[in-house]
Amino acid sequence: MASELESRLKGRVRAARRTVLTEDVYERVKSLIMDGDLEPGARVNIYAVARLLDVSQTPVREVLAALESEGLLTKEALRGYSVAPVLTSEQVADLYQLRLLLEPWAAAGAAGRITPEAAARLRAELGSQSRAPQGTRYEDYHDIVAHDARFHDLVAELSGSPALRASLQRTHSHLHLFRIEYEGRRSGEPTLAEHARIVEAVTAGDAGAAEQAMRDHLTAARDRFLHTPAG
């Protein structure tokens, strides 16, 4: 008998490709969450997902475990996986406050330790996303979300603090949850412009400018998330 998940989504979700199978299953399931096809609190059954995507249960188990580690799913004994609750505005503001304490310092540290190789890595990452997304589905803005995660992770890595980098990786994963109800997905152009200013300051070795550019970026990103006026 088809599950509720299969009944609602069968025919709307293409089967996962057999090549790079786990990665494809990951993107398919994540898309269902990020686009709201699987709403917060919805049960995510391993067997139903495997049938929906026409794959075995093995990659599905791996993917659901990975999404749990990112905070997009929760797991309860005897109940299995469910879509995690969406973060509240207060929780998002709190996470950004933490980022504002840590990431400007990281940008300054990266500027102080900059090398030609590190500068090349930053420029390459900036160049990997040359165009802002146009649509509002996860498949439309997936690339800039991935770029944003890589960019901030790279700045944290170049700061030379593994503890700070690990902390920010967890913070960024939590913010994915808020994107489910975030209407400002067309904010790619300001994000890319702000990243460019950070890269310019860090690669110039200007710690003060790098710190300020990162602070300005995070403040603007927070305000876009929360739909409040900047300043």
Side-chain angles (χ1 to χ4, degrees):
M1 178 181 294
S3 69
E4 187 271 340
L5 172 66
E6 293 172 280
S7 299
R8 285 196 302 111
L9 299 177
K10 195 69 174 178
R12 294 175 52 194
V13 181
R14 64 175 174 81
R17 299 191 308 270
R18 298 293 179 179
T19 56
V20 291
L21 185 59
T22 300
E23 291 88 348
D24 196 44
V25 171
Y26 173 86
E27 290 300 335
R28 292 294 93 206
V29 178
K30 190 168 184 177
S31 292
L32 293 174
I33 297 171
M34 300 296 283
D35 288 329
D37 292 318
L38 286 172
E39 298 179 348
R43 295 279 300 278
V44 183
N45 182 275
I46 291 172
Y47 310 105
V49 172
R51 290 194 298 267
L52 182 68
L53 301 183
D54 191 24
V55 297
S56 70
Q57 296 167 23
T58 300
V60 174
R61 291 181 189 278
E62 295 175 7
V63 164
L64 297 190
L67 291 171
E68 181 195 9
S69 70
E70 291 184 27
L72 289 173
L73 296 177
T74 60
K75 187 178 183 182
E76 297 180 53
L78 305 179
R79 286 183 54 83
Y81 292 99
S82 300
V83 178
V86 176
L87 295 178
T88 65
S89 296
E90 290 75 15
Q91 289 171 317
V92 170
D94 188 50
L95 286 173
Y96 266 103
Q97 185 59 41
L98 175 62
R99 294 182 71 180
L100 280 162
L101 291 171
L102 297 177
E103 292 197 65
W105 177 81
R113 296 164 52 90
I114 198 67
T115 64
E117 293 77 14
R121 291 178 65 193
L122 279 168
R123 294 190 183 103
E125 180 53 52
L126 184 65
S128 72
Q129 186 67 32
S130 59
R131 188 174 66 87
Q134 301 303 308
T136 59
R137 300 283 291 177
Y138 177 65
E139 63 186 22
D140 300 316
Y141 67 91
H142 162 271
D143 288 347
I144 197 167
V145 170
H147 157 69
D148 188 64
R150 291 193 307 265
F151 179 80
H152 285 274
D153 181 62
L154 178 56
V155 172
E157 176 192 342
L158 297 178
S159 75
S161 173
L164 179 145
R165 185 184 183 192
S167 176
L168 292 177
Q169 285 173 337
R170 289 191 294 272
T171 299
H172 199 280
S173 294
H174 288 305
L175 283 171
H176 280 313
L177 297 172
F178 195 74
R179 292 181 185 272
I180 299 173
E181 294 188 350
Y182 177 43
E183 297 176 357
R185 290 167 179 166
R186 291 191 177 95
S187 64
E189 290 181 6
T191 294
L192 294 176
E194 290 153 15
H195 284 184
R197 287 192 286 273
I198 295 167
V199 170
E200 180 180 4
V202 172
T203 57
D206 189 333
E211 181 176 351
Q212 188 60 52
M214 180 65 81
R215 181 173 289 109
D216 291 344
H217 166 51
L218 292 173
T219 300
R222 178 199 62 197
D223 292 343
R224 287 192 293 267
F225 262 96
L226 301 177
H227 310 289
T228 58

